[in-house]
Amino acid sequence: MDSGTLSVAVLISGTGSNLKAIIDAQKSGRLNVDIARVISNKADAGGLVFAREAGIPCSVIPSADAPSREAHDAGISRCLDETDPDLVVLAGYMRILGGEMVARFRGKIINLHPSLLPKYPGLDTYRKALDAGDAEHGSSMHFVTEGLDDGPLISQAKIPVLPGDDPESLARRLGPVEHRLVVATVELFTRRKVEMSPDGVWVDGELSAGPMMLNEDDQLV
Ligand code: GRF
């Protein structure tokens, strides 16, 4: 690992297809990252298989067994302290992080969310987009703050809503686009200085006017 390699921890709860996209991009040489640890709050998360196959250290910190959110967060914090990553990526991590945890790692945690935020924080984003009659749906990556899916936006990718779409078809089409978005966004952190401030997101010392958009060449512009 050279000194320019970004150390990344990835938090998951389920299938881990976005984790897999990061692993594949690291293996192919696109991403100069060390995936230092994968943390799951579920012992049966499918993504743990991808991590173990890739030889990545894994920690399971079951949320179901924790007496409180604070206690669970404390377990995650300890694990992150030991790992000491440059960046924490929430990729399908289906727990809300408490304020103390967010404050402790402020500016270092990013989340992937399947909507064009600020539209549709929370769950059922596909249904909400369809019910609203939106012409486009998409995914966002943002810095994690105390609010739910509320932190400064880093990047987005859009797909059209097609006639006859239902939540399942939208989710199916968005999946591969999210994978490209998560890789491009982590890549951004490997190449440029991306910082969160109360004004928004700064990239190489310039305040972004809005989220960077994923183009067809998998670049954020
Ligand atoms: C993704 O759609 C992500 O946007 C959302 O949860 C899903 C996780 O998928 N937060 P996976 O576990 O990475 O396959």
Side-chain angles (χ1 to χ4, degrees):
M1 182 170 100
D2 69 63
S3 59
T5 303
L6 189 81
S7 160
V8 177
V10 183
L11 270 62
I12 61 168
S13 297
T15 317
S17 65
N18 289 283
L19 165 66
K20 171 97 169 40
I22 297 171
I23 294 172
D24 289 348
Q26 191 265 340
K27 278 195 190 148
S28 75
R30 171 157 181 209
L31 277 185
N32 183 15
V33 294
D34 170 38
I35 308 170
R37 183 161 294 274
V38 168
I39 304 174
S40 174
N41 67 312
K42 293 195 172 171
D44 60 354
L48 287 169
V49 175
F50 298 134
R52 288 182 181 131
E53 278 172 3
I56 299 166
C58 296
S59 299
V60 174
I61 304 178
S63 44
D65 301 351
S68 65
R69 182 201 317 221
E70 290 70 26
H72 184 250
D73 276 2
I76 303 266
S77 278
R78 272 195 299 278
C79 191
L80 287 177
D81 277 339
E82 280 163 25
T83 308
D84 194 24
D86 300 312
L87 185 68
V88 179
V89 182
L90 309 187
Y93 184 67
M94 303 306 283
R95 296 263 304 171
I96 296 169
L97 296 176
E100 205 174 306
M101 165 93 193
V102 169
R104 185 173 172 83
F105 296 96
R106 187 174 297 283
K108 275 185 144 189
I109 312 182
I110 63 174
N111 180 46
L112 172 66
H113 180 74
S115 81
L116 295 172
L117 291 169
K119 282 185 167 181
Y120 320 134
L123 299 173
D124 295 328
T125 61
Y126 307 99
R127 163 63 57 208
K128 288 172 185 165
L130 290 168
D131 287 352
D134 290 353
E136 291 180 315
H137 191 53
S139 278
S140 305
M141 293 212 72
H142 64 93
F143 280 106
V144 173
T145 56
E146 283 77 4
L148 175 65
D149 299 324
D150 189 35
L153 289 170
I154 304 162
S155 58
Q156 288 185 329
K158 290 181 179 177
I159 60 168
V161 176
L162 301 178
D165 259 335
D166 57 22
E168 289 70 34
S169 65
L170 256 189
R172 230 180 358 257
R173 283 211 319 288
L174 189 58
V177 177
E178 282 201 313
H179 301 159
R180 292 167 44 216
L181 178 69
V182 79
V183 168
T185 306
V186 173
E187 186 180 37
L188 183 73
F189 280 79
T190 67
R191 295 190 188 283
R192 301 172 72 179
K193 199 170 168 59
V194 189
E195 294 167 297
M196 181 180 94
S197 84
D199 312 327
V201 173
W202 294 74
V203 180
D204 284 345
E206 266 187 46
L207 183 62
S208 289
M212 299 177 84
M213 303 305 299
L214 186 74
N215 71 13
E216 287 186 355
D217 299 321
D218 287 351
Q219 302 300 315
L220 291 172
V221 291

